[in-house]
Amino acid sequence: MLKLLRYLKLRAYMFAGKANKALLGVNAVAVIAHNKDGLFATDPEDMGVGQELRKLGAYREKELQRVLSYIDNNDNVLIVGTHVGAMVIPFAKRCKAVAAIEANPDTFALLEMNLRLNDAHNVQAYNIAASDKAETIDFVSSRTNSGGAKRMPKVRDFRYFYDSPETIAVPAYPLDEYLKDQTFSLVFMDIEGSEYFALKGMQNILAKAQTLSVEFIPHHLRNVSGIGPRDFLDLIAPHFEHLLIPTLNTRVTKDGFLPALQKMFDQDQVDDGLIFTK
């Protein structure tokens, strides 16, 4: 019953997004939203990040302020999974430079538009996926929640396919090679289950970074990457000593990483941004 209710809710979002698109007309490629950090072009069909920006004028404000506290205007930041730039633009205003990685070509077009709208000249954007090797991956290009677009999952859970998304091919690279010789004080990652592959391909970057903020969603780890918390942490723990779990308001040291995340994993508990520090 719970699965059915979740499915019906997702389908309702899908129809609302399609109604937005139909109301504005097929030639309306973006709707402009305004918040304190600037102007954001959003896909009118997007009922995720786009809807939050349009209705609330903000996106994950608490998380944003929390992560911004780890940088200053002399730092370089790497954002993996930028979507339309709701995090990129505020980061760009508060640091030296941003490298922005976005795999979805439709979303990347909106990201580029938002960089121009906000005069974000210190951002270098790359339309690629982050992986552990140079390859072309199948990519699920979600429409209703374009922020949920992801590499083809190992398990085709209905939550990823309810809006009949298009499957496209996108280029993917290990970021240690693609961004060779670049260093970043902070790495911010939100890539819908592809974290395992991205982390494998950026061990040199992580070794030099002071802070990693990464989304933790158990069903993504299970269904998209086919891994558990131990596999996830094997790529992170060698580089960091401390972990903040914002949803639990808990800090643990390295010995506590696995017990804490295993418990969250077993209980399907999500955190939008775990913060690992040296």
Side-chain angles (χ1 to χ4, degrees):
M1 177 60 72
L2 180 61
K3 185 174 180 178
L4 176 61
L5 291 174
R6 187 181 293 129
Y7 175 77
L8 292 174
K9 181 178 180 180
L10 291 173
R11 293 287 289 182
Y13 279 130
M14 180 191 74
F15 287 121
K18 288 183 178 296
N20 283 349
K21 188 79 169 179
L23 181 64
L24 291 169
V26 296
N27 295 312
V29 296
V31 175
I32 303 297
H34 177 267
N35 73 19
K36 66 182 180 61
D37 287 303
L39 298 173
F40 292 91
T42 68
D43 185 337
E45 196 173 341
D46 178 23
M47 300 300 289
V49 178
Q51 176 80 334
E52 286 196 39
L53 288 170
R54 293 191 297 271
K55 290 192 70 173
L56 304 178
Y59 177 67
R60 293 187 181 179
E61 186 66 20
K62 287 184 179 180
E63 179 189 7
L64 174 61
Q65 294 306 319
R66 182 186 306 118
V67 180
L68 284 174
S69 70
Y70 288 87
I71 64 167
D72 61 33
N73 57 14
N74 293 312
D75 288 324
N76 294 326
V77 172
L78 170 61
I79 301 181
V80 187
T82 66
H83 196 245
V84 300
M87 294 291 189
V88 174
I89 300 304
F91 269 108
K93 292 181 176 181
R94 295 164 176 83
C95 71
K96 182 178 179 181
V98 176
I101 307 294
E102 174 54 46
N104 188 333
D106 291 336
T107 304
F108 186 80
L110 293 172
L111 171 65
E112 290 193 306
M113 191 180 302
N114 290 330
L115 296 180
R116 292 192 294 271
L117 283 171
N118 294 283
D119 295 321
H121 301 298
N122 61 337
V123 178
Q124 180 65 56
Y126 304 93
N127 187 198
I128 62 166
S131 192
D132 57 338
K133 58 182 177 293
E135 59 181 340
T136 299
I137 63 172
D138 289 334
F139 192 82
V140 180
S141 183
S142 302
R143 300 295 306 172
T144 302
N145 175 20
S146 57
K150 56 178 62 63
R151 72 164 56 219
M152 181 61 69
K154 294 181 180 295
V155 177
R156 299 198 178 194
D157 190 285
F158 77 95
R159 285 171 285 191
Y160 316 144
F161 294 94
Y162 67 91
D163 59 348
S164 302
E166 181 183 4
T167 299
I168 61 175
V170 302
Y173 299 92
L175 296 185
D176 276 344
E177 295 179 11
Y178 200 84
L179 302 175
K180 190 174 182 180
D181 299 327
Q182 295 191 44
T183 59
F184 305 96
S185 299
L186 182 143
V187 176
F188 182 95
M189 183 178 295
D190 181 354
I191 49 176
E192 305 299 304
S194 290
E195 294 84 6
Y196 178 70
F197 305 101
L199 291 166
K200 283 182 72 175
M202 54 189 297
Q203 290 294 290
N204 292 337
I205 288 174
L206 293 177
K208 298 172 184 176
Q210 295 301 307
T211 306
L212 168 67
S213 175
V214 58
E215 187 178 56
F216 184 83
I217 299 182
H219 71 79
H220 280 165
L221 298 181
R222 292 190 193 98
N223 298 335
V224 180
S225 300
I227 65 165
R230 186 180 297 276
D231 307 295
F232 178 72
L233 287 170
D234 280 348
L235 302 172
I236 297 173
H239 308 295
F240 300 97
E241 298 294 330
H242 306 279
L243 166 61
L244 169 65
I245 306 174
T247 53
L248 302 179
N249 193 27
T250 299
R251 296 179 185 271
V252 296
T253 55
K254 186 176 293 192
D255 289 345
F257 287 4
L258 183 57
L261 294 192
Q262 186 66 57
K263 183 176 181 180
M264 292 178 66
F265 186 82
D266 293 341
Q267 296 177 352
D268 281 321
Q269 187 164 4
V270 171
D271 196 294
D272 289 334
L274 303 174
I275 298 179
F276 293 90
T277 53
K278 299 294 190 190

